[in-house]
Amino acid sequence: MELTGHIFNIQKFSINDGPGIRTTVFFQGCPLACRWCANPESQNRYAVQAQLLNDDRCRRREVTVDQVMAEVLQDKPFYDQSGGGMTLSGGEVLQQADFAAALCRAARAEGVHTAAETTGFASPEHFRMLLEEIDLLLIDVKHFDPGKHREGAGVDNRLILDNLRTAAASGKPMIARIPVIPRFNSTLEDASGLARLLTGLEVKEVHLLPFHQFGERKYQQMGVPYDYDGTDQLHPENLTDYRQIFLDAGLDCTFR
Ligand code: SF4
């Protein structure tokens, strides 16, 4: 039987998911339950409520590798000109590890640069398999403390940190992505702890993703409670001291 995957969007002309102009493929399904999640329809716990979502950014479907590649390859001239490529995102791509690896193999066979954004919450076998098939790893690092991580994201971070160590030891190009979230990891003490964790793993590059409210309407449409309802968005100008802590630690740190 042909391998298929479940996705909820293919976004063209992405410029924040790796270098150059990219096509980002969003995988359906996520085992985490982040309280601030902007894509609640991708969470496993909201699979039923996601049917209620009426959002033009959400086109959930089952697809083959060839179907995705047909869309990805339409923009190959832009990737070639800009140093871009294809990025897999989610949800959590490693919930569909075989499909993710097959997509990356197909893209590389066509000379397309591949990146994957992952939470790192996956079996070490699946994580290593994907690592071998990609050119760039974008790994979310939400908190250094297991208890705080569980409180905010529904799972603790031990498995994630183990996989992060594997990635660091592999020498694969890697960027740590930190969503900066009020009441979770937005204090200067949080920044210091995260910077210590990353420098200890010899991570070189960090992207800070200030909290936004792009998902607020989805919670309303799905009829599920949203812990960050009405919380003010963060902007780079609110986080200059926060960023400085990463710069002082010797990390290349930018906002996305
Ligand atoms: S990891 Fe991402 S997609 Fe999954 S629950 Fe957290 S914010 Fe949402």
Side-chain angles (χ1 to χ4, degrees):
M1 205 180 350
E2 191 169 9
L3 182 63
T4 59
H6 294 265
I7 63 171
F8 69 90
N9 198 6
I10 295 181
Q11 184 177 307
K12 298 200 162 196
F13 290 92
S14 299
I15 51 165
N16 286 322
D17 297 322
I21 294 171
R22 312 188 70 83
T23 293
T24 303
V25 183
F26 289 90
F27 280 45
Q28 180 71 35
C30 183
L32 274 62
C34 302
R35 290 164 43 214
W36 57 86
C37 181
N39 292 319
E41 74 278 22
S42 69
Q43 292 187 28
N44 296 350
R45 63 176 173 161
Y46 294 142
V48 173
Q49 292 92 330
Q51 312 290 342
L52 300 172
L53 193 63
N54 176 20
D55 188 294
D56 56 13
R57 289 167 295 175
C58 182
R59 292 185 291 279
R60 298 179 326 124
R61 54 203 155 118
E62 184 175 4
V63 287
T64 65
V65 169
D66 286 349
Q67 285 171 330
V68 176
M69 286 311 300
E71 287 197 49
V72 168
L73 289 174
Q74 286 168 358
D75 288 352
K76 181 135 190 318
F78 297 111
Y79 313 148
D80 293 344
Q81 282 165 22
S82 67
M86 176 183 79
T87 298
L88 308 186
S89 186
E92 172 47 60
V93 300
L94 284 164
Q95 282 234 293
Q96 303 178 67
D98 289 337
F99 186 69
L103 259 184
C104 290
R105 271 194 296 277
R108 282 174 140 185
E110 297 286 348
V112 175
H113 179 273
T114 58
E117 181 180 15
T118 173
T119 66
F121 188 76
S123 73
E125 295 74 25
H126 281 161
F127 187 81
R128 275 195 293 269
M129 178 172 74
L130 185 66
L131 204 55
E132 281 173 19
E133 302 295 348
I134 56 176
D135 300 307
L136 171 67
L137 177 70
L138 306 168
I139 186 160
D140 296 354
V141 180
K142 302 181 201 302
H143 214 289
F144 52 90
D145 179 78
K148 282 283 277 188
H149 198 283
R150 177 182 288 283
E151 203 179 293
V155 300
D156 78 38
N157 61 357
R158 279 173 264 234
L159 184 56
I160 293 167
L161 295 184
D162 283 349
N163 284 329
L164 184 57
R165 284 184 200 100
T166 298
S170 75
K172 179 75 65 177
M174 171 170 65
I175 300 171
R177 288 165 61 106
I178 300 175
V180 187
I181 309 296
R183 311 191 297 277
F184 175 66
N185 67 357
S186 61
T187 68
L188 299 185
E189 290 73 29
D190 293 325
S192 297
L194 285 160
R196 259 196 313 277
L197 170 71
L198 295 176
T199 50
L201 291 169
E202 298 190 21
V203 173
K204 304 276 185 284
E205 189 171 353
V206 182
H207 290 173
L208 299 179
L209 289 68
F211 170 73
H212 60 70
Q213 283 289 20
F214 299 160
E216 197 168 31
R217 195 165 57 94
K218 297 182 184 177
Y219 286 89
Q220 290 160 5
Q221 288 183 358
M222 288 166 57
V224 296
Y226 175 38
D227 286 354
Y228 280 80
D229 203 6
T231 300
D232 287 344
Q233 301 195 114
L234 291 175
H235 303 280
E237 55 269 30
N238 307 126
L239 295 168
T240 46
D241 292 348
Y242 192 97
R243 175 180 177 236
Q244 191 62 45
I245 287 172
F246 293 88
L247 296 174
D248 290 347
L251 292 151
D252 175 356
C253 180
T254 52
F255 290 107
R256 286 293 187 274

